[in-house]
Amino acid sequence: MLQFSSRRFSTSMAMKSLLERELYQGNSVVRFVLNDKKVNTLSLDMINELYTELKAIDKIEKIRSVVIAHNGKSFSAGHELKELTTESGSEKHNEIFNTCGDMMNFIRNMKVPVIAEVNGTAAAAGLQLVASCDVVVAGKSSKFLVPGQKLGLFCSTPGIALVRAVPRKVAMDMLLTAQPIDAEAALRAGLVSRLVDDDQVKFEALKVAEQIGQFSRSVTALGKAFFYTQAELSTTEAYRYGSRVMVGNLKLKDCQEGISAFIGKRQPEFEHSNDLVEEVKKN
């Protein structure tokens, strides 16, 4: 059964934290809630705080998945425009986009899956964050857009994540027209994984986390890493690489435990480690 009880926890962050932090399912799921009291802009402070937390969480063996949620009607309105004026200077601008890009890449490279919980509007870099997550659960009233054209600032970096999540023609339509798409269209395009009623978004996101958490952490990490790597290879190269990964996967103790449990008609007892089984020597 889904353990829908939470425990808030604090870190060494200052009182002006832009994130709320909650623990679920025996402290194995961390739910970060974007909360800047406005529209959850990805200011440099917000990016740095979330990035720092994600890097710390990925090192904790007990964690099985991360949920990124939000307070208010906006998942995130994108970058803080006040930080993008000429007065801020090119050095600051470079820091913003480079740090943001590093965080998006890190999400993809994390050992644990990251689930976006969207119950509102995700715009520009906010959409970039959604598209960078492994699974996206959205409410039916949610909207997604890359409106940079309206400001004379093309959503170039958000488009990187967008075009890797939806077909090119859909991405270009969104980027060129700056028009939003609704949650149904986002689901059809592949930007959203699961679509539910607005009042069920949190429950569904935690349900996804629960479903992931019943499996081996080490195998999940292996599978996530392989998925993104093979997607950038040719089909021939992907199959060759996949064969090697599958053979390596079979050497994990958790894999052989899972196979043994299935054959024995019992529940597996995963160790969530990268320990290998001993090779059986043939005479």
Side-chain angles (χ1 to χ4, degrees), residues 176-197:
L176 292 171
T177 67
Q179 294 301 303
I181 62 172
D182 61 24
E184 289 281 359
L187 178 67
R188 292 194 300 269
L191 180 61
V192 167
S193 312
R194 301 190 184 193
L195 187 62
V196 296
D197 291 334

Side-chain angles (χ1 to χ4, degrees), residues 123-195:
L127 182 146
Q128 181 183 359
L129 178 56
V130 170
S132 297
C133 291
D134 303 303
V135 178
V136 179
V137 178
K140 292 180 179 178
S141 67
S142 298
K143 294 186 182 301
F144 305 86
L145 67 159
V146 273
Q149 285 273 65
K150 295 180 179 180
L151 303 175
L153 179 64
F154 199 83
C155 282
S156 299
T157 47
I160 295 170
L162 179 61
V163 77
R164 284 162 172 76
V166 306
R168 291 188 178 189
K169 301 301 184 186
V170 175
M172 281 302 288
D173 190 324
M174 293 176 67
L175 288 161
L176 292 171
T177 67
Q179 294 301 303
I181 62 172
D182 61 24
E184 289 281 359
L187 178 67
R188 292 194 300 269
L191 180 61
V192 167
S193 312
R194 301 190 184 193
L195 187 62

Side-chain angles (χ1 to χ4, degrees), residues 65-95:
S65 58
V66 172
V67 176
I68 300 179
H70 63 102
N71 281 333
K73 296 180 179 180
S74 175
F75 177 84
S76 173
H79 289 296
E80 173 56 71
L81 294 180
K82 293 178 181 178
E83 296 180 342
L84 303 183
T85 61
T86 303
E87 288 74 17
S88 297
S90 293
E91 185 175 342
K92 178 69 172 290
H93 297 162
N94 277 317
E95 182 183 7

Side-chain angles (χ1 to χ4, degrees), residues 16 38 65 108-109 122 157 171 186 201 211 220-221 230:
K16 294 181 180 180
K38 298 177 183 177
S65 58
R108 194 178 89 157
N109 294 325
T157 47
V201 177
Q211 291 168 335
T220 296
Q230 65 82 24

